[in-house]
């Protein structure tokens, strides 16, 4: 049951507040001294605290209330605290709100305002607990993955990335081909490296080749090797990537760029392990685990006749999809901190800008932005302007998901503090709005 703790030395205040809260099906606990209140917090689950600022007769300084608030904040960091204050120490209450108090109400208080504040904070408290539970669960899953598998130092915090990595690690022990899909710059080669690091051939070589970076006439020579004189400039025989990867893993990035003749030869290697160098009739053998990756629509290419359907199904025994960075926002700040390497710190404005950007270039774009900002930022402090990210409109689709502090404050003011109305104007659910309010330290 939702529970509010009232800490006030005046029994009449406790009774009045308890009655008002009971009308909203809110359980009220009453303590008359700071010590008693702290003891209740130690043994009960409390969602919101309403505390007075003075507990000794003829005392109006508010120092007792300040000390109690700091003690509560030290023991229960996320617990919302409402201050009951008289005009004589209103200034102290305002300072405590800046220090993290949820709100303050002047005596005598307005019941409607108090109950609305409590209701909003109870919803926020519930949302905070859910977010905390989810964060703890994600951390436990991440730690479990790190303890069971070699993740090659990969930095991630999002649930989507966790699922991708878990699938990659699960299929690593088998020798079936794996197709890693996802947009450019998202980290497909890192996923391939993790598959290799947890595979039966992890002690063998990991050879990567970007099929999209090679001229079409040289792709076959790169993959299968070439004898001397096989093509202009081939003065001596050379090994191909399959030979180099023998006993290990071959990672074929941008597999959709492989021309049809190369696709046919690749299919044969996958089926038999056999291939010939360009310009040679000698059949060679290689035992290679093949991992391929693409950001292309291979099914569409099959329909267009530019990609072999039989090769697609041979490569795509297991598909591991890597979501774009825009769909795993929990990874943005941990990755940014990792790329900074403690060379600088991100201001709150910079963090908001990072979360608001859509990252079309994914992790590669994020890394470039952070490295550049670290070079340009004076005194080791990175502000939003140092990131050089494009300006965004408050009505942009991305920002409906990650509104700025100013847009949240404006929506709350326009809605008169009504959470559901403010959330609707921002295109968020109420729980999503509460999470943003928690992040920005806002309360209604």
């Amino acid at each position: 049951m939702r529970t509010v703790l009232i800490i006030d030395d005046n029994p009449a205040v406790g009774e009045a507040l308890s009655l008002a809260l009971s009308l909203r099906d809110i359980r009220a606990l009453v303590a008359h001294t700071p010590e008693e209140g702290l003891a209740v917090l130690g043994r009960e689950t409390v969602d919101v605290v309403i505390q007075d600022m003075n507990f000794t007769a003829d005392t109006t300084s508010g120092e007792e209330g300040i000390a109690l608030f700091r003690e509560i904040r030290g023991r229960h960091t996320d617990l919302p605290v409402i201050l009951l204050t008289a005009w004589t120490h209103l200034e102290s209450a305002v300072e405590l709100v800046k220090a993290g108090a949820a709100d303050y109400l002047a005596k005598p208080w307005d019941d409607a305002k108090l109950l609305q504040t409590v209701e909003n904070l109870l919803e926020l408290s519930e949302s905070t607990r859910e977010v905390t539970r989810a964060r703890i669960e994600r951390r436990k899953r991440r730690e479990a993955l790190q303890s069971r598998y070699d993740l090659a130092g990969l930095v991630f915090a999002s649930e989507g990335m966790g699922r991708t990595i878990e699938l990659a690690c699960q299929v690593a022990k088998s020798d079936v081909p794996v197709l890693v899909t996802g947009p450019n710059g998202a980290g497909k080669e890192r996923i391939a490296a993790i598959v290799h690091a947890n595979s039966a051939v992890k002690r063998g070589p990991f050879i990567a080749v970007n099929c999209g970076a090679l001229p079409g006439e040289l792709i076959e020579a790169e993959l299968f090797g070439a004898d001397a004189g096989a093509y202009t400039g081939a003065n001596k025989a050379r090994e191909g990537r399959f030979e180099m990867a023998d006993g290990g893993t071959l990672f074929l990035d941008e597999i959709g760029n492989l021309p049809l003749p190369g696709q046919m030869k690749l299919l044969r290697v996958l089926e038999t392990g056999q291939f010939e160098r360009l310009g040679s009739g000698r059949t060679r053998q290689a035992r290679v685990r093949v991992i391929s990756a693409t950001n292309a629509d291979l099914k569409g290419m099959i329909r267009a006749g530019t990609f072999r359907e039989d090769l697609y199904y041979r490569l795509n025994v297991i598909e591991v999809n890597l979501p774009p960075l825009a769909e795993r926002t929990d990874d943005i700040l941990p990755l940014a901190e990792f790329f900074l390497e403690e060379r600088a710190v991100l201001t709150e404005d910079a963090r908001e800008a990072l979360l608001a950007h859509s990252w079309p270039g994914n992790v590669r774009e994020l890394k470039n932005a952070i490295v550049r900002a670290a070079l340009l930022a004076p005194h080791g402090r990175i502000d939003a302007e140092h990131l050089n990210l494009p300006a965004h409109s408050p009505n942009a689709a991305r920002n409906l998901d990650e509104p700025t502090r100013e847009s949240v404050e404006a929506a709350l003011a326009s809605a008169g503090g009504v959470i559901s109305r403010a959330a609707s104007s921002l295109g968020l659910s109420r729980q999503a709005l509460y999470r943003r309010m928690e992040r920005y330290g806002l309360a209604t």
Side-chain angles (χ1 to χ4, degrees), residues 149 164-179 191 195 198-200 289 291 317-320:
Y149 302 108
T164 295
I165 294 168
E166 186 168 17
L167 175 59
C169 291
Q170 286 175 345
V171 303
K173 293 297 183 184
S174 67
D175 60 357
V176 298
V178 174
L179 177 64
I191 298 299
V195 173
N198 295 278
S199 70
R289 168 74 177 273
I291 303 173
V317 177
I318 296 290
E319 179 177 347
V320 177

Side-chain angles (χ1 to χ4, degrees), residues 11 14 123 127 233 245 262 273 300:
E123 289 192 40
S127 175

Side-chain angles (χ1 to χ4, degrees), residues 239-306:
E239 282 187 326
R241 301 302 176 93
F242 269 94
E243 289 179 82
M244 295 166 62
D246 190 21
T249 298
L250 178 62
F251 174 56
L252 300 175
D253 200 5
E254 303 295 350
I255 190 66
N257 290 70
L258 192 64
L260 286 169
Q263 292 178 31
M264 188 179 302
K265 287 192 175 183
L266 176 59
L267 180 63
R268 182 190 174 205
V269 179
L270 294 175
E271 290 176 340
T272 67
Q274 297 178 340
F275 62 95
E276 289 84 30
R277 286 180 177 177
L278 197 64
S280 171
R282 176 188 166 193
T283 299
R284 299 173 186 270
Q285 191 87 19
R287 180 176 173 271
V288 176
R289 168 74 177 273
V290 174
I291 303 173
S292 53
T294 185
N295 69 331
D297 177 11
L298 294 185
K299 290 185 177 179
M301 294 178 66
I302 291 170
R303 290 192 294 271
T306 57

